[in-house]
Amino acid sequence: MTGIDVDYVGRALLRREDRRLLTGAGQFVADLELSRMLHVAFVRSPLAHGRIRTVDLRAAAAAPGVVLALNGADLLRLVPPAPDAQLSLPSKWTAAVQHDFLNPQQPLLAHDKVRFVGEPLAVIVADSRYAAEDAAELANVELDPLPAVVDAAGALAAGAPILHEHFGTNRIGHFTITKGDVAASLAAAPHRLRRRFVHHRYAAMPMECRGVVAAYDARSDAMTIWSATQVVHWLRREAAHVLQMPEARVRCIALDVGGGFGVKGHVYPEDLLIPFLARRLGRPVRWIEDRHEHLLCSAHSRDQVHDVEIGFDDDGHILALDDAFTADSGAWNTLGAGIAYNTAVHLPGPYKIANYSSSATIAVTNKVPNSAYRGAGRPEAAFVMERLVDLVAAELKLEPAEIRRRNMIRADEMPYHAGLLYRDGEPIVYDSGDYPEALEKALDAVGGLVAFRRHQAEERQRGRYVGLGIGCYVEGTGVGPFEGATVRLDPGGKIYVASGACPQGQGMETVFAQIVADQWRVSPDDVVLALADTAAIAMGFGTIASRSTVTLSAAIHHASGKLRDKVFAVAANMLECAPADLELRDSSVGIVGVPGAAVSLAKIAAAARPGWDHSRPSGVDAGLEETHYWEPPTVTWSYAVHVAIVDVDPDLGRVSVARYAVAHDCGTVVNPLLLDGQIAGGTAQGLGGVLLEELVYDESGQLLTGSLMDYLVPTASDVPEIAMIHLAAPSPLNPLGVKGVGEGGAVAPPAAIANAVGDALAPFGIEINRTPIRPEELVAAIRAARSR
Amino acid sequence: MKPAKFDYHAPASVEEALALLRRYDGEARLLAGGQSLVPMMNFRLVAPAALIDLNRVAGLDYVVADGATVRIGAMTRQRAIEFSPLIAARLPLLRDAVRRIGHLPTRSRGTIGGSLAHADPAAEIPMVLRALDGQVVARGPAGERRIAAADLFVSPLTTALASDEILTEIRLPAMPDNAAHAIEEFARRQGDFALAAIAVTVAPAAGGRHTVRLATGGVGPVPQRLVGAEAILEQQGFGADTIEAAAARAAELVEPLGDPHASADFRRHLTAVLTRRAVTAASRALA
């Protein structure tokens, strides 16, 4: 055996991409330099809601360095409207789920009304960004102000100003899912609780903002678009539509991308407008979003209000749960039912709840459009469910962990049929795992519950308030409809793999090299990857929704299987044996049990080439390349339990996270090092969301947190050490047994921290039912409790 | 987020810089560390006709003892103050305050004079200048003048410095060896501007009494001395009830503004809590 004949999957290999990224050799869209390139700045709406009277660009167009200035009305005459950007839902879903949706589509530039502060009204193209911004200040914008709606309740109130007047309503989406008999079981329940839960608006805030560069080649009538996106093939499809070009003449590439987390997971107006400008002007055009623009016009997320009633028995068994919620979509609904539906089906979490109903209402408001951000509707769900469990515990004076134990689905109940439909239209079946074990391990990792309760009692004697909080979730990952892989044996014997998956820093080049290395018994160094480039593979879906490791590993597996059959056929011909006698070993194909009887992959590649003197057997055509588009049967279910111990300063309202543990299961672990990074990063974002980050609007729809001085992203010194426990119940739904892990870290922290703070402040009877946890509100609640 | 067009000058002397200020007649801005001014220019909140860069002006970077006074050149980096043995020995309050400013990169560029001239009401250095009753030296066309801490800060981001003047030096009275001090701040994240901050010094005085100085940050338009609260402590000492009374008085004396991060009421509450904690810590350090 040689060193190569060992599994690479499961090993903590260092990231291949880090050499270039850490030495400054990475290339992001803002690093792209093209000859004669022009620069874009936007004229943006200063008002949240208004009718456009004039966007006069005469002075701007005459400013030094300006090449083109267009307003929304100009553009409407030049470009067909953008196609429906909604994620399509399968007919299995639309037939089964009671729903009602309107789909307002954001134009490339506003032309009739403005609907949020920052919405682009006009585009200026100039020799430099400086000149473009100077000219943008010269635009003469006259708007007739309209009253703004800044939350879902306001949007749905009678007489509310209507954003999209042709609909006659701000209620642009509604659906209900249900199982069992909620009304009857609630009525019969020995105990009932009713609460409102609010999960506020925050956003992904990647280190790199968005950016688009486009170049048109007149000779071949072809467009190249470089965008900091998670979905190159989706972008190409929409760009081809807007430009009225065949997809084959549009190439979309994502270079190194500095974080996505969902905010780059759909197509934005700029992705389409910049290529249009490049073709119209015959010069490359570049728009790099700055941080202020990012806060003002890249998607925000969360922002839901739930009204829930839960029924339970004397032992804390949950009998029924009735949830009704509103989701504030902002001015345009980028993902249709996607996020709210995620919330609804993930809300029951790891618990057996026989009677469940969730009814969602999506409202448009005069705020930035809402889209997916790490978790995509699941942090809201986990917050509601996990707070409810703690409230049940408080009501029955039982330990919150005990309520969880009594309601959790056990390992021997797997696979568990949840009785709901996933958004892929398939019945939800939790496929594998041991939820109670995760709970116990996470509790052990913070020192155990018994020890903590003793410590807590001692601290309370000293006037100090510490609390322990649990946050559990389950998460459907690896959603379809598909991802594809082209696998090719390169003439030099290396394995080339192309896919539409789009890395944004996760380390895909490393994990897929490990996966391919095992498939082909080669070194990861002999794996050549082509990702995030539409020229490399005809169809792709992209990297969103904790899906790439699941879907692309399966596509690689199946494409490799097809290719291996062909490789073995050629090798068998060369070695004069039967294909069934062959195995892959050490970058070659050899006869099983016969050391030395082998032929290298490079020689097989040469033998399979078209032309004279090939060594293919008859009936085997030339070339060694196979493509497989894998369509997962449905999602596979990851889960985790987060446990936080916090210390609350009752005078300052400061919440310090003293200990934090995550026990999770994402199936087969491809690379433990990268896995730890995914969980730590997600957890940091979740902690930021519950404790620091908040997009605050005033009543007129002005964003008050428009810079990173006011929008508080956690820094390294704000994030605690995170203890991690890895469980690994392989998924039965894909060849490698993997489950997605990209988003999970961000799902549970709001629930775990809210429960921990509530536990700390239990002597005051304070419930934390809304995020973020603001020091000021904690202090006010404590003072009010003290004065009672 | 690109600044509007501006001229750039890098004079080598204060005289040259003053001449440039005169030439632009109020339309130029002085560039020190740039940690506040440059972001404001990028947001186009300010659009000066020219930047006059003081980073190449000789002789503005020093920390020297001058009898009972410590003189600090306006262009002395915050990071240099943080590690100055002289500051540690004579002005430990300033050393502790500077450690709380921003982050390593911002302290490496940011200067003491820049922070004072920028006059952010939540900044640490203005609070310390006020607590220690320091003064600054300004040079203008008519020569040099001194401005006391009490007179320097006019309103948020506005000082008594004229548009043709340059702040060249900070003068702080050395703290007595037997003095104690404390700083308490509340910020949402480490390194952020404080939502509320209190600096206190306590120095033994004749007759077993103490001289107390309390100054604020972040709870009013300018850093403020809490003379009424100081008086309670100077007259009644540092018993828990007295400290509580001084803290309550402190909260009455401030006039905070609200913003998305903290309402005026909460800042008032924080003033009391931080005053109590700071005074308690300083009085214990004294003992």
Side-chain angles (χ1 to χ4, degrees), chain B residues 12 14 16 47 61 63 88 111 122 140 148 161 171 178 188 193 196 209 217 220-221 223 261 282:
Chain B
V14 173
E16 212 182 312
D61 176 9
V63 178
T111 65
L161 289 161
R171 297 186 178 185
N178 57 356
R188 297 289 298 279
F193 279 106
R209 298 173 96 80
H261 300 297

Side-chain angles (χ1 to χ4, degrees), chain A residues 129-130 133-134 137 290 292 649 651-652 654 691-692 707-710 712-713 717-718 776 779 783, chain B residues 1-3 43-44 185-190 192-193 260-263 266 269-270 273-274 276-277:
Chain A
R129 177 68 178 249
Y130 292 87
E133 290 194 19
D134 289 347
E137 290 199 329
D290 64 37
H292 186 55
D649 181 329
D651 293 327
L652 299 178
R654 198 198 307 267
L691 291 172
L692 292 169
S707 81
L708 293 186
M709 269 184 82
D710 291 315
L712 307 179
V713 177
S717 46
D718 302 303
E776 177 164 2
V779 167
R783 292 173 85 187
Chain B
M1 283 178 62
K2 301 290 183 201
F43 273 106
R44 300 197 175 203
E185 279 191 4
F186 183 73
R188 297 289 298 279
R189 295 178 303 186
Q190 194 165 326
D192 279 350
F193 279 106
H261 300 297
S263 68
F266 186 51
H269 165 82
L270 290 173
V273 174
L274 298 174
R276 169 162 50 80
R277 292 185 180 185

Side-chain angles (χ1 to χ4, degrees), chain A residues 100-327:
Chain A
D100 173 15
F101 273 85
L102 305 166
N103 290 329
Q105 287 305 310
Q106 185 175 1
L108 301 190
L109 292 172
H111 51 81
D112 55 349
K113 288 174 75 178
V114 289
R115 295 175 176 87
F116 64 93
V117 171
E119 188 164 28
L121 282 160
V123 61
I124 313 288
V125 190
D127 291 339
S128 75
R129 177 68 178 249
Y130 292 87
E133 290 194 19
D134 289 347
E137 290 199 329
L138 301 176
N140 179 20
V141 176
E142 289 178 31
L143 305 173
D144 290 332
L146 294 166
V149 288
V150 293
D151 58 36
L156 298 169
I162 301 296
L163 270 80
H164 304 285
E165 284 148 9
H166 56 293
F167 294 143
T169 177
N170 292 322
R171 181 187 183 271
I172 55 144
H174 182 263
F175 65 81
T176 300
I177 58 169
T178 193
K179 70 165 175 169
D181 188 338
V182 175
S185 45
L186 267 181
H191 304 271
R192 284 193 294 277
L193 278 173
R194 187 185 275 279
R195 286 293 186 281
R196 166 166 290 192
F197 299 98
V198 177
H199 205 108
H200 73 294
R201 176 174 276 240
Y202 52 106
M205 220 51 61
M207 284 176 75
E208 181 205 29
C209 297
R210 294 189 297 121
V212 190
V213 175
Y216 176 70
D217 177 44
R219 186 190 66 81
S220 58
D221 186 25
M223 179 68 70
T224 305
I225 305 165
W226 295 266
S227 175
T229 183
Q230 301 172 225
V231 285
V232 290
H233 283 83
W234 181 1
L235 199 163
R236 179 180 66 173
R237 185 167 70 245
E238 293 208 13
H241 176 97
V242 165
L243 299 169
Q244 296 179 305
M245 293 170 70
E247 284 195 25
R249 289 286 189 233
V250 180
R251 180 181 182 190
C252 180
I253 301 164
L255 300 168
D256 285 319
V257 173
F261 315 111
V263 72
K264 299 173 182 171
H266 66 274
V267 177
Y268 284 86
E270 297 90 346
D271 288 318
L272 309 174
L273 179 57
I274 301 303
F276 165 78
L277 295 168
R279 185 175 62 182
R280 181 167 178 84
L281 294 167
R283 292 171 66 177
V285 175
R286 167 194 205 254
W287 170 71
I288 303 299
E289 182 187 60
D290 64 37
R291 185 61 66 181
H292 186 55
E293 289 181 295
H294 185 78
L295 281 150
L296 275 180
C297 66
S298 279
H300 298 168
S301 197
R302 318 295 189 230
D303 212 349
Q304 295 183 359
V305 178
H306 290 248
D307 287 301
V308 193
E309 186 166 19
I310 187 168
F312 50 101
D313 68 15
D314 295 340
D315 296 325
H317 295 114
I318 299 166
L319 304 174
L321 206 162
D322 188 13
D323 171 46
F325 70 99
T326 55

Side-chain angles (χ1 to χ4, degrees), chain A residues 549-564:
Chain A
T549 302
V550 177
T551 56
L552 179 51
S553 71
I556 288 170
H557 174 89
H558 290 293
S560 293
K562 290 189 222 172
L563 183 57
R564 193 157 44 237

Side-chain angles (χ1 to χ4, degrees), chain A residues 542-612:
Chain A
T543 295
I544 56 169
S546 303
R547 67 190 304 278
S548 287
T549 302
V550 177
T551 56
L552 179 51
S553 71
I556 288 170
H557 174 89
H558 290 293
S560 293
K562 290 189 222 172
L563 183 57
R564 193 157 44 237
D565 288 347
K566 202 165 172 186
V567 166
F568 278 19
V570 176
N573 195 43
M574 297 167 80
L575 291 165
E576 297 178 349
C577 66
D581 299 332
L582 294 174
E583 65 179 3
L584 287 164
R585 62 190 191 216
D586 196 7
S587 297
S588 60
V589 175
I591 300 173
V592 177
V594 187
V599 56
S600 72
L601 291 173
K603 284 197 171 140
I604 297 169
R609 280 154 62 177
W612 297 310

Side-chain angles (χ1 to χ4, degrees), chain B residues 6-7 20 68 88 111 117 122 124 135-136 143 162 172 179 202 205 233 239 242 272-273:
Chain B
F6 59 89
D7 297 341
L20 284 161
T111 65
E124 283 85 358
Q135 50 183 222
V136 300
L172 291 164
V202 180
L233 297 163
T242 308
V273 174

